[in-house]
Amino acid sequence: MGEESLRKRKGEDNGKEDGQSIQSQKPQTMNLQKQAKFILFPLQSACMRGAGRGRQEGVGLISGICMIVGTIIGSGALCFAELGTMITKSGGEYPYLMEAFGPIPAFLFSWTSLLVTKPSSFAIICLSFAEYASAPFYPGCDPPQAVIKCLAAAAIVIITIVNSLSVKLGSYVQNFLTAAKMIIVTIIIVSGIVLLAQGKTENFKDSFKDSKISVSSISLAFYNGLWAYDGWNQLNYITEELKNPYRNLPLSIIIGIPLVTVCYVLINISYFTVMTSTELLQSQAVAVTFGDRVLYPASWIVPLFVAFSTIGSANGTCFTAGRLVYVAGREGHMLKVLSYISVKRLTPAPAIIFYGAIAIIYIIPGDIDTLINYFSFAVWMFYGLTVLALIVMRFTRKELRRPIRIPIIIPVIVTLVSILLVLAPIISAPELAYLYCVLFILSGLIVYVLFVHFKFNWPQKISKPITMHLQMLLEVVPAEEVTE
């Protein structure tokens, strides 16, 4: 985390019961340029793969879904901008749920996020990286799953090490990968524009021809699209480290979301200049197929830069999700060691390592499309609940300062959309996996009652020698012991 932020942590939250969130008054360290990168990082890598995966749809429906999803995400991001400037604490949805509904919904969010949604998102991105990195070595066929999973696991390990060692090192890596990301986005879009100018419009005729219109197909298409945009709330996970969040948080959202939406639509259009919807669906790595058909003999540029792009996304995701683990441990909702800070490097190393280890577990069964569907189902339950928290606090916490105040109709619409996204696939195409997902979330109640409410401390006693050895190995201490 930001060095000054960590050094100033001593004495925080002493006056708040149940670890309830309050507004942070600590100095901030991350400027607008860096903030915008945290939105662009996770979003734009999905542009390189979202079009060709999931359902077979026509170009018209896919482009329409891209724009609708961009509007939904933009509305949700505005809601999170109000929440982030009202409650300036790191941890994403966690402090907002704590403030609005109390510790139980906040714990269920951290339970689900730390064990399901965040690690699965990390795993999805690294599996995407592995697909693109290995594709050039297996021309004409799909890379073996063992190769893909080993590459993905190696990527997770490297990213975890980088973020555990140094915030500055992670930032330097991010700067380089941001440049690579923008280069490949520009190459694909410009190539598509040139092809359109040359008359490559065959795949745009009767653009809804291959579309399969049903509640189930549309909802799952939205899931794929929404995952492609996932990352729009990343800045809310590091609010305590932002410089002037009242100005820069909403400004970075206003810049980032429309830019990514335009890039996403233009990249999809570029893909359709040389591929039909069937070819997009069958392609293991859509951008690689595009590069082979358009940029040969320089087609190697595409998988190289897309690999950089996906690694950049994974780096940004690891950086922010590690803060959620840290905050949950700080509030007593996870093992205390997860809230410890490296004495020398001032990073939440135990939290980041824990997050990386869980992500590697998700690599093992690792089917990307299945992971996306169940990840989206779980995450939009809590997105909807968090936006509902904004509506609730308009009436229950009127005294809180709101530098940004959006019209109430926006969070109402986002909440209704969230409910629809959660219920539609269950009603139209029920699967046991959705039930298992809900049961896992509710199982967090048992953990909460035993170890948070009744404070059974035998897990802490059992883990005490492990904690001691981890402290010596990683050179970490509780945050309040990090001195000037």
Side-chain angles (χ1 to χ4, degrees), residues 140-436:
C141 63
D142 294 339
Q145 284 299 307
V147 172
I148 291 176
K149 291 179 181 181
C150 287
L151 276 175
I156 291 174
V157 170
I158 293 171
I159 292 167
T160 300
I161 291 173
V162 166
N163 283 276
S164 298
L165 287 178
S166 170
V167 173
K168 285 186 177 180
L169 178 60
S171 180
Y172 292 146
V173 171
Q174 181 170 313
N175 290 338
F176 170 75
L177 296 174
T178 298
K181 182 186 301 289
M182 298 309 298
I183 288 171
I184 190 59
V185 166
T186 303
I187 288 173
I188 293 175
I189 291 175
V190 171
S191 299
I193 293 173
V194 171
L195 289 170
L196 285 174
Q198 293 174 348
K200 295 283 187 178
T201 58
E202 297 85 0
N203 295 330
F204 296 92
K205 296 175 181 177
D206 198 4
S207 56
F208 288 87
K209 179 181 178 181
D210 295 325
S211 301
K212 299 177 181 179
I213 308 297
S214 69
V215 175
S216 175
S217 63
I218 293 297
S219 61
L220 291 178
F222 267 97
Y223 272 178
N224 278 271
L226 290 165
W227 177 80
Y229 282 89
D230 192 66
W232 51 271
N233 62 335
Q234 294 281 55
L235 289 178
N236 294 77
Y237 283 86
I238 53 173
T239 307
E240 293 175 15
E241 300 173 57
L242 302 184
K243 183 178 181 179
N244 191 9
Y246 304 116
R247 170 184 176 270
N248 291 342
L249 177 59
L251 190 58
S252 58
I253 289 171
I254 292 171
I255 294 171
I257 300 297
L259 176 60
V260 172
T261 302
V262 171
C263 288
Y264 196 14
V265 173
L266 291 178
I267 287 175
N268 276 282
I269 291 174
S270 297
Y271 290 157
F272 275 108
T273 58
V274 293
M275 287 179 277
T276 65
S277 58
T278 302
E279 291 172 328
L280 282 165
L281 183 65
Q282 293 174 346
S283 175
Q284 185 74 6
V286 180
V288 172
T289 304
F290 178 86
D292 289 340
R293 297 187 181 185
V294 177
L295 301 175
Y296 186 83
S299 57
W300 57 269
I301 292 175
V302 175
L304 176 64
F305 278 85
V306 173
F308 286 155
S309 176
T310 48
I311 281 291
S313 276
N315 182 70
T317 299
C318 181
F319 184 95
T320 54
R323 272 57 182 174
L324 173 59
V325 185
Y326 164 78
V327 171
R330 187 178 74 191
E331 302 287 357
H333 284 180
M334 286 289 157
L335 291 174
K336 196 67 178 175
V337 69
L338 297 179
S339 67
Y340 286 8
I341 300 298
S342 172
V343 175
K344 293 182 177 179
R345 301 177 179 88
L346 298 176
T347 61
I352 293 172
I353 293 170
F354 172 83
Y355 174 63
I358 298 296
I360 289 177
I361 294 174
Y362 278 94
I363 294 293
I364 298 171
D367 175 68
I368 292 182
D369 295 321
T370 302
L371 280 176
I372 288 174
N373 290 338
Y374 301 137
F375 161 83
S376 300
F377 171 79
V379 79
W380 274 92
M381 293 176 64
F382 288 104
Y383 283 162
L385 192 61
T386 304
V387 176
L388 179 62
L390 172 60
I391 300 172
V392 169
M393 284 191 285
R394 285 285 183 92
F395 301 96
T396 61
R397 302 302 304 272
K398 296 181 179 180
E399 76 281 4
L400 291 178
R401 180 191 174 198
R402 291 174 170 82
I404 299 173
R405 190 182 182 92
I406 63 174
I408 191 69
I409 188 63
I410 294 179
V412 169
I413 292 173
V414 174
T415 302
L416 293 175
V417 169
S418 302
I419 294 172
L420 180 62
L421 287 169
V422 170
L423 295 181
I426 299 176
I427 296 172
S428 60
E431 294 183 26
L432 282 176
Y434 294 122
L435 176 62
Y436 296 152

Side-chain angles (χ1 to χ4, degrees), residues 439-457:
L439 290 176
F440 176 83
I441 294 172
L442 295 178
S443 69
L445 291 172
I446 300 174
V447 179
Y448 177 84
V449 170
L450 293 177
F451 304 117
V452 179
H453 183 72
F454 289 115
K455 300 186 184 300
F456 289 176
N457 61 355

